[in-house]
Structures are given as C-alpha cells and as structure tokens.
Amino acid sequence: MAFDTQAWLAEARALIGSAHVLSADRGDDLSAYTRDWRGKFQEPALAVLRPADTGEVQALMRLAARSGVAVIPQGGNTGMCAASVPVPGGRPQAILQLGRMDRIFEIDPENNTATVQAGCILQTLRERAAAAGRLFPLSLGAEGSCQIGGNIATNAGGVQVLRYGNMRDLVLGLEVVLPDGERLDLLRGLRKDNTGYDLKQFFIGAEGTLGVITAATVKLFPAPSAGSVAFAGLDSIGQAVRLLGAMRARMGERFAAFELISGDAVDLVRRYFPDTPALLERRWPWHVLMEAADGGGDEALREAMQAALMACLEEGCVEDVVLAGNLGQGRTLWSLRENITHAQQMDGGNIKHDISLPISRIPAFVERMLPQLRQSFPGARPIVYGHLGDGNLHFNVSAPAGVAPAAWQERTGAVNRLVHDAVAAMRGSISAEHGVGQLKRHEMASYKTAAELDVMRRIKRALDPQGLMNPGKVL
Ligand SMILES: Cc1cc2nc3c(=O)[nH]c(=O)nc-3n(C[C@H](O)[C@H](O)[C@H](O)COP(=O)(O)OP(=O)(O)OC[C@H]3O[C@@H](n4cnc5c(N)ncnc54)[C@H](O)[C@@H]3O)c2cc1C
C-alpha cells in the first residue's frame, strides 16, 4: 500500500499537537533542520516532530514503527558529520527534534549530579550547575546551541577532556526510548553498579542509531575558584609533547586543558577576526593554549603556573609564553581557539579530519604528513589544531589559493585516503570526536575490522530490527 503522507501527518499531529509537527506541505520552513551545520548536506524530511516529553516520544516511535517511517533524532544540529539530517532516498524520514524537552529536573550538589531532559542546551546546564557551586565540565565551541542528548549521542569531547574525560566518562544514567517505543529506564546517579551489562554504553556515541535518549544523569564537580590561562610559542610539535609532559608533572590534577594551534591557524583567525591581538612578540610555527584550575585563590594558582612555565622555558620545552593576568585576558586567549572553526567556515573550502593517535606518535605523524600533503596537493593549506592533551587533532586541509570550494571538495576522497591511511598505519582513529554520520560511513569498511563491523551490525539488528533509527549513518 502506498504511503499516505497526509494521514501520517494527521496522526502525528493528533499525538503531539499540530503546532509541533512541522511539514513543508503546509508551508513550514524546515531548512534549519534538514541542512547540516556545515551546509553540505540537505535532503527533504517528511516532518519535523517536536515532542514535549518522553511519553510523546514513545507515542511517535510507536507510530513510526507501525508505519515504517525512519526517525532521525536531532539536538542542536551542530554535529560535523551530517548525522542529524536526512539521507538521500529510502523510506520517509522524520526528524525528531528534542528542543522542547529542555528541563533540568534536579541538581543534587551532595551526589554531585544533574538530571536533565535530553534537549537541555549544554550552556544552560553549565550555568545552572555554576549557580549551585558546581562544574559540568563539558565545554565546546557550540555549547550555546548543542544539547545534552546530542553530546551523549556523539560522545562529545571538548577542551577539558584532559582532566575530566569525554561525555562517556560524565554520564551516570540514561533514559532511552527504543525503536519500538519501549522506555528503557537507566536513569540512576550511581558511580558503582556492577549488575550485568552496562546498557547505557550502547547509546553513548551511537549517533542516534539505536534509540532516542530522552534524559540523562550526569556528573558534576566542585566548581574551581581559581583559573589560570597561558599561551605559548613553540618551534615544533615534539616540543609541545615535551611541554605537555613537563606541565602535567608540575601541575598534576590542576592541569585542565592543553590545546595545540598551528601558526597558520592563528593567521587564519587574525584574518577573519582582525580584532584578535598579537599575543606573542613574533610568529611561531606552533602554539599551545593551556589552562589550570583549582579550588584555591587566583594569585596562588597563577604563581604556580608561572613557576612551572619558567622551569619549562629553562628546560627548552617552550620558546615564549604569555600568562593571562586576569579572567578577561584568559577569555581573549580562549576566543582565539574558539574562532578557528568559524574562521575556517568563513574561509570556504576545507577538508576536515578529526583524528586521534597515541600522543607519543603525533610529532612523527605531523612531520611526515605535512610534506606529503604539500607534495600530493600543491598549494593545499593544512590548518592543524586540536586537543593535543587527548591525542586528538583537527588535521584540516584548506583549498589552495584560487581553487573554488566545490572543486576542492571533489578532492576529499583522495585527501582523506592519504591522511586516514597514515593514521591507520599508526593505529589511530579516523574519528576521535565528531563521529561517523553519513560523512565517514563509507570509510568504516576500510578502517574497522570485519569482526568489529559484524558485532556492531548484530547489536543494531537486536535493538532496531526494522532499521528505523537514523538509517544511512555509521553502518
Ligand atoms: C563551533 C563548533 C565547535 C565544536 N567543537 C566540538 C568539540 O570541541 N568537541 C566535540 O566533540 N564536538 C564539537 N563540535 C561538534 C558538535 O557540537 C558536537 O558533536 C555536539 O555534541 C552535537 O550536539 P547536538 O545537540 O548539536 O547534536 P546534533 O548535531 O543534533 O546530532 C548529533 C548526533 O546525535 C544524534 N542525537 C542528537 N540528539 C539525540 C538524542 N536525544 N538521542 C539520540 N540521538 C541523538 C543525532 O541523530 C546525530 O547522530 C563542535 C561543533 C561546532 C559547530
């Protein structure tokens, strides 16, 4: 029997209210939901569904299962792999947008936990935790619009993984609606629980392919009362790795972030954000942005950072360094890092890589890759930056001057092959942070073993036998 779009929309509207089922046929503009953040993928959706609570998600999932409609969970739509937007062809696809489910149920300062609905914006949770004297440590450039559900589904990292881990380390409990509409209540705030399989782990980093995350209990930490930020210039990545080891040894637990930024990345930010000050007296090929935090006073922490950095200068693991004198200066240093993604977006064509390697192998990888790239793709402009403290680099390659973005994108396969083969040869990962989505799906067969893919497919079939959850992503 042919699929009856109008009957389906009418049923969905009866379940969650007409205003919350958007569809193109009645003139709603769906483009903000159907186009990915980078603007490279856009396909039509049957509807955008905006449920208010878990019960409505269950009802919609039952309707989808009954009618064979695919469901794409969507948070803030800030993901980098086009995982939250429709794919070409196939069955009708509805976007399940969680934005109305944005409640914070509880902040429990004694248990150091927060329990929130999946649509809660990351920044909102960080602010509410701070008001209660607690820190929710996940922090990333898109925090004003990405949602906790999206952060969990992508196992987001960000700039404080070095100290607090990524999202998988921060989740204690989940509530999930399965593809058949059943509610799986794993919403516990326990740090220890060895009662069999840890089911929540299946949904963390699954990119919405196994179920819809509707709520989560996450870890909070005592809010640090002091922070100190420094920006350093270096001659090589090898020096940056030595600096990381030396600063961790001296600052210990207090060391929270260590971000690598190439000289080319700084130049790019200064071109598109001309107010960015020159932070050091001369241009260095590499820079590092570092942050330490603790529960003491600013002055004492700043002195500890200064002493550690002076010792590193004497040991030759840093060439030049500036230490922020106050919070405002610290923010200025961080805005340089945060503006790299936006500057690349404004600059046009770039081929992104989000790789990870054992930290000890990163200098060899970068030193080998840069000349190979320049030789294979004359004029290509590598923009290298990222969370060096976690072994995660955004090894992006911008188009040669004068090459149109579309023409450069056509080289994506060849550039990816060069970079990803080198990563795989060093037993690294081709997606450390951003996930697979539709962007890297076709690369899975080259970089995962047949046994890994087989187990992943078996888990997918067990939880989603009809293949309704976010089809065309990951597998
Ligand atoms: C400027 C900028 C900086 C960024 N920096 C970082 C960074 O430092 N670290 C990092 O890890 N990422 C970073 N990202 C990528 C992105 O912000 C993260 O991947 C974020 O976690 C995505 O959250 P979202 O709510 O926007 O999810 P979406 O983009 O809407 O969705 C992402 C995936 O999660 C699934 N999903 C969303 N909500 C749910 C749910 N409730 N249940 C089940 N599945 C769901 C979707 O189907 C999709 O597969 C950055 C992005 C931008 C634009």
Side-chain angles (χ1 to χ4, degrees):
M1 209 167 65
F3 181 75
D4 185 341
T5 302
Q6 289 312 319
W8 197 92
L9 291 172
E11 243 186 287
R13 288 188 172 117
L15 291 173
I16 66 169
S18 181
H20 308 304
V21 176
L22 313 183
S23 63
D25 67 310
R26 71 169 194 194
D28 295 322
D29 179 7
L30 305 190
S31 58
Y33 307 98
T34 53
R35 189 174 49 230
D36 78 304
W37 191 85
R38 295 179 68 203
K40 295 191 187 311
F41 293 80
Q42 178 152 31
E43 294 292 331
L46 167 65
V48 174
L49 313 170
R50 305 195 74 234
D53 58 29
T54 302
E56 289 193 355
V57 174
Q58 287 183 276
L60 290 169
M61 291 310 296
R62 283 191 207 105
L63 169 63
R66 210 167 357 107
S67 49
V69 165
V71 174
I72 305 164
Q74 186 179 88
N77 199 17
T78 67
M80 293 287 185
C81 292
S84 53
V85 293
V87 292
R91 53 174 102 223
Q93 300 163 75
I95 294 174
L96 189 75
Q97 214 286 333
L98 278 292
R100 288 176 68 218
M101 293 175 55
D102 62 353
R103 285 180 59 201
I104 295 181
F105 292 124
E106 185 190 33
I107 302 265
D108 180 346
E110 285 173 350
N111 197 38
N112 270 313
T113 49
T115 299
V116 302
Q117 277 184 312
C120 177
I121 301 281
L122 172 57
Q123 187 174 318
T124 309
L125 174 58
R126 283 174 52 81
E127 286 168 2
R128 282 284 300 278
R134 294 292 178 269
L135 172 75
F136 181 61
L138 185 75
S139 174
L140 45 92
E143 66 191 42
S145 45
C146 65
Q147 301 175 4
I148 297 301
N151 300 148
I152 296 171
T154 56
N155 185 24
V159 292
Q160 302 209 63
V161 173
L162 187 62
R163 179 166 179 182
Y164 297 101
N166 51 28
M167 201 59 190
R168 194 179 291 282
D169 302 297
L170 300 174
V171 174
L172 292 176
L174 284 186
E175 178 190 70
V176 177
V177 173
L178 297 173
D180 61 4
E182 189 175 343
R183 173 175 166 265
L184 188 59
D185 180 2
L186 312 167
L187 208 53
R188 301 182 188 98
L190 305 176
R191 284 171 175 77
K192 289 186 141 186
D193 178 12
N194 283 346
T195 50
Y197 304 146
D198 188 358
L199 296 180
K200 67 177 181 292
Q201 300 297 349
F202 284 120
F203 304 95
I204 303 173
E207 298 183 50
T209 59
L210 299 178
V212 184
I213 298 161
T214 46
T217 298
V218 294
K219 289 183 195 168
L220 302 179
F221 297 83
S225 47
S228 179
V229 184
F231 185 73
L234 304 112
D235 269 329
S236 68
I237 297 205
Q239 203 177 23
V241 171
R242 288 203 304 283
L243 178 64
L244 172 65
M247 288 301 286
R248 282 185 103 169
R250 292 195 166 92
M251 299 300 293
E253 270 288 283
R254 293 173 291 181
F255 208 46
F258 192 87
E259 297 287 307
L260 181 80
I261 306 173
S262 70
D264 291 339
V266 173
D267 294 345
L268 194 73
V269 172
R270 296 194 70 204
R271 185 176 333 144
Y272 289 98
F273 296 88
D275 292 343
T276 310
L279 299 168
L280 299 171
E281 273 178 20
R282 54 156 278 201
R283 183 189 187 280
W284 293 95
W286 297 98
H287 305 90
V288 162
L289 181 65
M290 297 164 262
E291 180 164 334
D294 70 15
D298 276 325
E299 207 39 52
L301 181 63
R302 196 169 176 277
E303 278 169 19
M305 269 287 259
Q306 193 159 23
L309 287 165
M310 288 310 290
C312 290
L313 270 166
E314 277 162 27
E315 285 164 9
C317 37
V318 62
E319 299 298 329
D320 191 9
V321 66
V322 57
L323 193 58
N326 54 43
L327 203 65
Q329 284 175 12
R331 284 213 189 94
T332 306
L333 296 181
W334 270 110
S335 65
L336 169 80
R337 165 67 180 86
E338 279 149 16
N339 283 336
I340 300 174
T341 317
H342 301 297
Q344 283 218 282
Q345 182 93 342
M346 292 152 97
D347 193 48
N350 74 85
I351 297 170
K352 288 188 189 297
H353 303 104
D354 167 37
I355 58 160
S356 65
L357 288 157
I359 294 171
S360 51
R361 293 187 176 182
I362 285 185
F365 170 81
V366 175
E367 277 154 24
R368 207 173 297 167
M369 251 356 279
L370 290 180
Q372 274 185 31
L373 263 174
R374 290 192 178 113
Q375 195 185 4
S376 305
F377 304 95
R381 296 172 295 139
I383 301 291
V384 181
Y385 65 98
H387 318 298
L388 184 66
D390 320 324
N392 173 198
L393 288 189
H394 299 308
F395 196 90
N396 298 343
V397 189
S398 291
V403 173
W408 184 235
Q409 289 307 324
E410 281 171 20
R411 313 300 307 274
T412 301
V415 176
N416 283 355
R417 185 45 58 107
L418 186 70
V419 174
H420 289 166
D421 281 358
V423 167
M426 289 186 160
R427 295 194 68 78
S429 165
I430 65 161
S431 183
E433 214 174 42
H434 292 158
V436 178
Q438 39 182 325
L439 191 69
K440 296 188 188 147
R441 178 183 172 228
H442 58 283
E443 298 206 49
M444 292 286 273
S446 307
Y447 300 111
K448 288 276 188 191
T449 64
E452 277 177 295
L453 289 171
D454 181 48
V455 173
M456 286 169 83
R457 287 199 189 97
R458 280 195 266 167
I459 292 168
K460 170 77 175 168
R461 272 198 301 274
L463 289 174
D464 183 20
Q466 283 181 268
L468 295 178
M469 288 305 308
N470 216 358
K473 319 288 165 49
V474 184
L475 286 169

